[in-house]
Amino acid sequence: MNRVKNTVGAMAATVLLGAFSVPAAASTSSDAEAAANPAYRVLKHLDYSGPGKASLRVGYYDRTHDKGFGWNKVKKKHNITKYSAVEYIAKSPNRNRVGNSTTYHMTGYAGKYRCRNGVCTLVKQYKMILSVNEKVQRDGQDKGVITMYCVGVVRCPNWVSTTLAKENRSLAASDEGTVPEEDAPDNSQAPSDEVVDEADLEDENTPMDGGAPADEGDAVDGTETYLSSYQPLADSVSVTAPTTALTASGRERLAASYSPLAWTVPVSATEDRYRYAGSYNRLR
């Protein structure tokens, strides 16, 4: 009799354990999938001209099918390599909704001037478009950055990222939870549950002039000044145009503005705060 009771008790325990083991297995499977594909992981919350912050997620870029979103697409397809470059455009006051969707486009400009005889002439200008989808995801945050690119070319030249990033005013280093760019995972696999909105399929990177080399105007000879703005840049500026940073060479200058850039500004307003002088008499 005791043997029968023990057998029944063992069978009941087995059934109960089996019932409890199903959710655990499902949870493990879900966790494994999330670990295998980090596309929805947020790398940084960007300052944004729209409501709240814009999420910059790991995303993915499938080069074979030319599909993706987020940091991996921005970096791998369009050669935008700085979070701050993306954030500068995210703060643009030029914010337009795409149809009746939850996707918005922010725009700005990055340009290269060649300076000779006191005048800097615009030799290259790219219109920048950043696409942000505000649709809330399962984690309670927006899908965020879909793509960012230079209109006219697939891959932006390196100086575009540098120019935009130098002029971004965000204190990125203090953003809690930000994943450093060098630690952002590479990902080429789409998440299995991704829903792609039609408004996010637009990616205008076909050269405007099919007969012009993609790198025309991108050559560097040391006389360049790089500027960015939320409005189209002027065709020429004085060599004393506003500057906020110098490259290592000391000859390439970077500047940006939330309004059209001034043609000239006093040198004292743009140079370093310190001056060095030598004299045979006591300095005053």
Side-chain angles (χ1 to χ4, degrees):
M1 184 71 175
N2 289 335
R3 182 179 302 174
V4 172
K5 288 183 178 180
N6 290 339
T7 303
V8 171
M11 291 176 63
T14 302
V15 171
L16 287 173
L17 287 173
F20 285 115
S21 67
V22 173
S27 175
T28 303
S29 176
S30 177
D31 292 343
E33 182 179 358
N37 192 334
Y40 287 116
R41 181 184 180 188
V42 176
L43 298 172
K44 178 174 169 56
H45 295 288
L46 305 174
D47 287 344
Y48 179 47
S49 59
K53 300 275 189 174
S55 298
L56 178 60
R57 298 180 184 266
V58 170
Y60 73 98
Y61 181 56
D62 179 350
R63 195 176 302 277
T64 302
H65 299 97
D66 191 22
K67 293 173 56 181
F69 78 94
W71 178 243
N72 269 266
K73 183 172 185 181
V74 168
K75 181 180 179 181
K76 291 183 177 180
K77 181 174 182 180
H78 299 300
N79 196 39
I80 302 296
T81 58
K82 303 287 185 183
Y83 292 169
S84 290
V86 181
E87 187 168 59
Y88 177 78
I89 301 299
K91 295 190 292 186
S92 172
N94 308 320
R95 177 172 172 269
N96 299 297
R97 187 177 182 181
V98 181
N100 293 320
S101 70
T102 55
T103 297
Y104 292 80
H105 284 176
M106 274 58 62
T107 59
Y109 296 83
K112 173 187 286 189
Y113 289 83
R114 182 150 289 119
C115 304
R116 291 188 176 89
N117 301 321
V119 176
C120 299
T121 303
L122 186 64
V123 295
K124 193 77 172 184
Q125 177 174 221
Y126 289 107
K127 180 178 181 180
M128 310 299 303
I129 293 182
L130 170 66
S131 178
V132 173
N133 191 330
E134 296 180 358
K135 180 184 292 185
V136 176
Q137 305 298 296
R138 287 188 299 180
D139 61 3
Q141 302 181 69
D142 63 325
K143 187 171 185 179
V145 172
I146 301 301
T147 189
M148 175 173 160
Y149 54 91
C150 296
V151 175
V153 295
V154 175
R155 290 179 63 81
C156 300
N158 294 337
W159 59 262
V160 168
S161 285
T162 303
T163 302
L164 298 176
K166 287 286 186 181
E167 294 311 318
N168 184 46
R169 297 291 185 263
S170 170
L171 300 177
S174 66
D175 287 351
E176 186 175 349
T178 295
V179 178
E181 291 151 349
E182 59 272 20
D183 295 335
D186 289 336
N187 187 33
S188 60
Q189 181 181 356
S192 59
D193 59 347
E194 183 188 21
V195 176
V196 180
D197 294 340
E198 185 177 353
D200 295 337
L201 297 176
E202 182 181 0
D203 202 2
E204 298 175 0
N205 50 36
T206 302
M208 292 174 287
D209 179 0
D215 60 352
E216 184 179 17
D218 287 332
V220 175
D221 63 9
T223 63
E224 295 78 21
T225 292
Y226 300 92
L227 306 178
S228 56
S229 175
Y230 294 129
Q231 301 295 330
L233 296 162
D235 290 338
S236 64
V237 295
S238 165
V239 75
T240 57
T243 60
T244 57
L246 296 176
T247 64
S249 71
R251 291 182 295 178
E252 297 177 356
R253 301 174 184 273
L254 311 170
S257 170
Y258 288 102
S259 302
L261 292 164
W263 283 56
T264 61
V265 294
V267 173
S268 60
T270 63
E271 299 298 333
D272 294 335
R273 293 178 297 163
Y274 303 99
R275 296 290 183 274
Y276 303 92
S279 173
Y280 290 114
N281 298 312
R282 185 185 297 273
L283 293 170
R284 293 183 298 176

